[in-house]
Every structure is written in structure tokens, then in C-alpha cells.
Amino acid sequence: MKIVRTRTDLREALAASRDGVVGLVPTMGAYHDGHLSLFRAARAECDVVVASLFVNPAQFPEGTDLSRYPRDEERDGRLARETGVDLLFAPAVAELYPRGFQTWVEVGEVAARLEGEHRPGHFRGVATVCLKLFNLVRPQLAYFGQKDAQQVAVLRRMIRDLDLELSLRVLPTVRDADGLALSSRNALLSPAERERALALPRALATRDPDAARAALNGLDVDYVEVVDLDPPVLAAAVRVGSTRLIDNVVLEEESR
Ligand code: AMP
């Protein structure tokens, strides 16, 4: 696996492998089995697997957890290599947002509610960095987790609206044995907070918004809502101490 840090080195490294299918897995690092499941899926169907490792400041609204976001690039590099990633793109902030940067992608309605409402500017940052990564890597396939269901909906909208030529692959949410969805932010939870956080998967497992709301009673809930995405989900965001967690479950036709 090769690690590159600049756009020039990335383009150069990719130049030789343009004949086959290029797959991209955008990440912010602190890898867990959710990330690794995306790498494995990409490895299984692509000739070249590119992962990006970039904690994108643009998607963290002012005053949120950018500075405490977990980082461990050495471990990430090892895990990516072991899971079949060919090329790891790990740029500095100034490489993707050089001085003078001032062009942003604003996705409309689908980005306005839920995460968009509680984290203003979040999806503007996500859409912009993903468009940049899509342009730099030019993948035929890009891999995302259902864990961030609204993010997938926003990116699908952007791909359609801006006539991008790539397909998204969306992989199921990977959970710990106790039901908690894997997230880099779980590392920020104390043991007692982690115990309290289990209310989130338990609430969503009811697949019923009222029952879920009741099960989250006592936690600091940003939202718990049925969202008509493709597929429809019951999605929730809660704060446990100073850590914000999101999760969702897919609602099958019969339970709608
Ligand atoms: P992140 O590094 O948190 O930006 O996540 C990178 C990608 O991994 C995103 O597409 C996420 O949706 C996906 N992802 C994060 N957590 C999980 C999980 N528990 N299961 C599956 N995919 C995940």
C-alpha cells in the first residue's frame, strides 16, 4: 500500500492504474470494523482500492468536536494495508483547502433537516470534500456506510444533480455485540457513558418512533424520526455527555 499526501502524488500514483475499476472509500480515520467492511467490499469488486483519510474541518460546525476527533494514522495505515487498500490518500488541510479556497457545494432540501438542522454547514462540508475527492480520484465506485443514511441521500442527490459519473455502494451498519453501532466517536465515551449509549440501538430496534422516543427518555435527544430515504429509516441522534452519536435502522416494507 502506498501513502500519498498531495494531489500531484495521488494523480501520479493513479495514472498507471486507470484501466481497471477504481474504488474510493472516503474516511476520517480511527478505523473500526465499519471502515474495514467498506475496504473489504471495495477490494472484492475493484482493481484499485483508494481510501482517503482526512478529518475534514469543513464538516464540523464551529464549536463542535473537531479538536477531540480521534486520530491514529499509524494504526489506520496498518489496518488499511492489511485490508487490501492499495493507495491511502492522507492530505493536510491546506492541500484540500489552500489559501483562497471559496467554492462550496450546497445540496438543498435533503441536506436541510436532521443532521443539517442540528449541525449547520455539515453537509456543505461533506458534499464539497466528497466532490473534490471524486474529482481527484475519479472512481467508478465509491463506498459509504448506511450508518450515515442522510449523508448517502445527500451524496446521491449531488451525484444526480451534478451529472457525476460514479455509483455509490452502501454497506450495512456494523455493530458491536451489545448493539452499539461502531463509530470513531465511541472511543470518547467513558464506560458509564457507553452503558447509557446502549439506549440508542435499543430504542431504534423498536422500529417505532414513539416507542423509540420513550426508550430514549432521559437522554439528550436531537431527533428521533422516521425519514423517507431510500430505503426509509428510523434515525436518531443523541448526546451522551459531550459525545454526539447518530444511528438508524432500515424500516422494511411490512413495518412501515
Ligand atoms: P467516517 O470515518 O466516520 O467519516 O466514516 C467513513 C465511512 O464509514 C462512512 O461512509 C461511514 O458511513 C462508514 N461507517 C462509519 N461507521 C460505520 C459502521 N458502524 N458500519 C458501517 N459503516 C460505517
Side-chain angles (χ1 to χ4, degrees):
M1 184 185 79
K2 197 167 177 185
I3 301 181
V4 290
R5 300 191 182 278
T6 65
R7 292 165 290 176
T8 309
D9 287 351
L10 175 67
R11 285 205 181 96
E12 215 164 85
L14 279 168
S17 23
R18 285 264 168 234
D19 290 343
V21 175
V22 177
L24 170 67
V25 187
T27 79
M28 299 204 299
Y31 291 157
H32 50 64
D33 276 341
H35 296 108
L36 304 191
S37 75
L38 304 185
F39 298 157
R40 287 192 193 104
R43 182 70 282 161
E45 64 178 339
C46 301
D47 297 298
V48 183
V49 177
V50 183
S52 58
L53 197 181
F54 181 64
V55 182
N56 175 31
Q59 71 187 68
F60 289 77
E62 203 66 53
T64 59
D65 58 352
L66 175 63
S67 61
R68 62 195 287 262
Y69 198 83
R71 297 170 198 242
D72 190 345
E73 196 191 303
E74 210 179 294
R75 176 176 172 275
D76 287 345
R78 188 164 26 84
L79 288 172
R81 175 177 286 115
E82 288 169 6
T83 320
V85 172
D86 297 307
L87 191 55
L88 185 66
F89 178 46
V93 171
E95 182 66 19
L96 289 193
Y97 300 108
R99 188 197 291 271
F101 186 92
Q102 52 188 280
T103 304
W104 299 96
V105 181
E106 290 271 6
V107 178
E109 207 180 307
V110 64
R113 40 196 307 230
L114 307 174
E115 288 303 290
E117 187 181 335
H118 290 273
R119 310 192 77 204
H122 171 67
F123 285 124
R124 176 176 108 135
V126 169
T128 302
V129 84
C130 284
L131 180 59
K132 285 172 68 76
L133 292 169
F134 294 162
N135 281 334
L136 288 165
V137 176
R138 286 188 278 133
Q140 285 92 341
L141 297 171
Y143 294 78
F144 291 88
Q146 175 65 22
K147 159 95 168 25
D148 297 279
Q150 193 183 6
Q151 167 170 279
V152 169
V154 168
L155 293 175
R156 278 209 185 111
R157 192 68 253 171
M158 176 183 82
I159 286 168
R160 228 176 282 145
D161 290 350
L162 298 184
D163 306 302
L164 305 184
E165 291 185 356
L166 79 158
S167 303
L168 295 193
R169 294 281 196 258
V170 183
L171 277 287
T173 302
V174 179
R175 298 176 182 280
D176 257 335
D178 58 10
L180 192 65
L182 297 185
S183 162
S184 304
R185 289 186 171 91
N186 292 354
L188 303 171
L189 299 170
S190 71
E193 286 173 340
R194 197 195 149 91
E195 203 48 49
R196 283 165 54 211
L198 291 178
L200 179 57
R202 279 189 205 124
L204 293 175
T206 65
R207 291 186 151 69
D208 176 89
D210 294 331
R213 223 164 273 129
L216 291 173
N217 192 16
L219 282 187
D220 189 357
V221 179
D222 274 355
Y223 59 80
V224 46
E225 270 180 52
V226 172
V227 199
D228 197 15
L229 303 175
D230 176 22
V233 295
L234 176 61
V238 301
R239 292 162 197 276
V240 185
S242 48
T243 304
R244 186 171 181 281
L245 300 175
I246 65 170
D247 195 358
N248 69 84
V249 290
V250 171
L251 299 177
E252 307 301 342
E253 285 303 319
E254 68 267 26
S255 61
R256 290 177 72 191

